[in-house]
Amino acid sequence: MSDVLPVFDGHNDFLLRLLRDPRSREAIWLTGNGKGHLDLPRMKQGHFAGGFFAIYISSPQAHDSPDFEAMMNNPPFDLPLPALIGHEEAQPVALAMAGHLLWMERASDGAFKVCRTVAELRDCLARGVISGIMHMEGAEAIGPDLDALYAFHAMGLRSLGPVWSRPTVFGHGVPFRFPGDPDTGEGLTDAGKALVSACNALKIMLDLSHLNEKGFDDVARLSDAPLVATHSNAHAVTASTRNLTDRQLAMIRESRGMVGLNYATSFLRPDGRQSADMGWEPMLQHLDHLIDRLGEDHVGLGSDFDGATIPQGIGDVTGLPALQAAMRAHGYDEALMKKLCYENWFAVLERTWG
């Protein structure tokens, strides 16, 4: 399709796939093994221009854990959150994932680059090179003294979410609950407030996806950077704790920030179910609401590829052209399409990184 635009994406969990099977990483990354949502050949096929690659620490799975899949397919649900993970346990895992991302660049023979500046992102887009930003989804690997933050920044870290949904020493995330709202607990800890200040000083983007409402408000009060949620949707459309209220969207707009549309079905469907059996309408309804509340300069895409159940019409990264076709059929013109697909992400990173 000649009119397919490159897509810069707000969030993926591809590094977690590599971590779980490091001995197969060449096949997973370079040639694709037919699993998951992402690999280098399918990124090229789907016009995936780049995105935020998440370092994420999984919680150990207990033998008597509830059947979360069944619960999320039968709302209402309220999934119990895992316990806090200390930085002593998390740091080796995070270092391994950072190493995988840097290996991906080296192994790609020039087809993929880890970027640290917007100039590098724009150069990659112009040359057809897929770009990657090192991101942390949950700051478990950063101890309360923040020393590790400087080490990861030196490795290329340019984006960080203080929490995934479980608590950290920095703050509290939202549980996976439907219906529900993000007002679920206390705000940032003193360590979390210091983390915000340090990220501002280092020009590390702060990601508010997964953070609860009081923590969101603390970041809004303390941070001098645009407010960004890399992979979140509109609570007014789907009443999930993971989605942003209109009040939060107004604060993001005022800060000249950004929201990336999450493709996770349970955050898209009005009924909150995880089922992939859905059409384009819920995605377009969320996009319409985000554009209405934020303005067309502050909305993008944030897939959650390799970390969520996504609509069957997309399937994997090769479905991005089909999503673009649905957006065009919905009435989005070419100027808006370019903003949603990549221009807005580059603009907010320029406002954040300088």
Side-chain angles (χ1 to χ4, degrees), residues 146 162 169-171 187-200 206 214-215 217-219 221-223:
L146 303 185
V169 298
F170 305 110
L188 297 180
T189 65
D190 288 343
K193 295 170 185 176
L195 178 67
V196 171
S197 178
C199 285
N200 282 174
L206 287 159
K214 287 184 174 61
D217 290 348
D218 283 340
V219 174
R221 177 173 52 86
L222 297 167
S223 178

Side-chain angles (χ1 to χ4, degrees), residues 289-334:
H289 191 87
L290 293 173
I291 293 167
D292 178 66
R293 297 306 169 118
L294 293 167
E296 64 179 36
D297 294 333
H298 305 287
V299 182
L301 302 175
S303 67
D304 216 347
F305 279 142
D306 282 327
T309 299
I310 65 174
Q312 61 185 5
I314 299 177
D316 62 21
V317 68
T318 62
L320 290 176
L323 172 59
Q324 290 187 42
M327 292 162 67
R328 284 192 169 94
H330 187 61
Y332 294 168
D333 64 24
E334 201 63 18

Side-chain angles (χ1 to χ4, degrees), residues 131-144:
S131 57
I133 295 170
M134 187 185 294
H135 166 72
M136 273 191 180
E137 184 179 34
E140 283 87 355
I142 310 297

Side-chain angles (χ1 to χ4, degrees), residues 6 9 25 28 38 43 57 64 121 136 138 146 170-171 195 216 223 233-234 240 242 261 267 282 286 314 323 341 351:
D9 183 65
R25 65 183 187 177
I28 294 170
L38 296 175
M43 286 178 182
I57 312 300
D64 58 351
L121 292 172
M136 273 191 180
L146 303 185
F170 305 110
L195 178 67
F216 179 106
S223 178
N233 296 338
S240 167
R242 268 283 282 112
L261 178 80
F267 310 143
H286 277 275
I314 299 177
L323 172 59
C341 286
R351 295 193 292 271

Side-chain angles (χ1 to χ4, degrees), residues 235-252:
H235 189 271
V237 180
T238 301
S240 167
T241 48
R242 268 283 282 112
N243 288 341
L244 297 164
T245 66
D246 284 350
R247 184 185 74 87
Q248 291 174 307
L249 295 178
M251 295 168 72
I252 291 170

Side-chain angles (χ1 to χ4, degrees), residues 41-63:
R42 282 184 291 170
M43 286 178 182
K44 294 175 181 177
Q45 183 181 346
H47 296 253
F48 183 92
F52 294 77
F53 285 73
I55 294 171
Y56 164 74
I57 312 300
S58 296
S59 293
Q61 197 77 7
H63 293 298

Side-chain angles (χ1 to χ4, degrees), residues 16 19-20 56-62 65 68 80-86 89 93 140 164-167:
L16 189 59
L19 181 75
R20 288 171 170 166
Y56 164 74
I57 312 300
S58 296
S59 293
Q61 197 77 7
S65 293
F68 294 148
L81 284 176
L84 183 148
I85 297 175
E89 180 182 352
V93 181
E140 283 87 355
W164 176 70
S165 283
R166 67 178 164 244

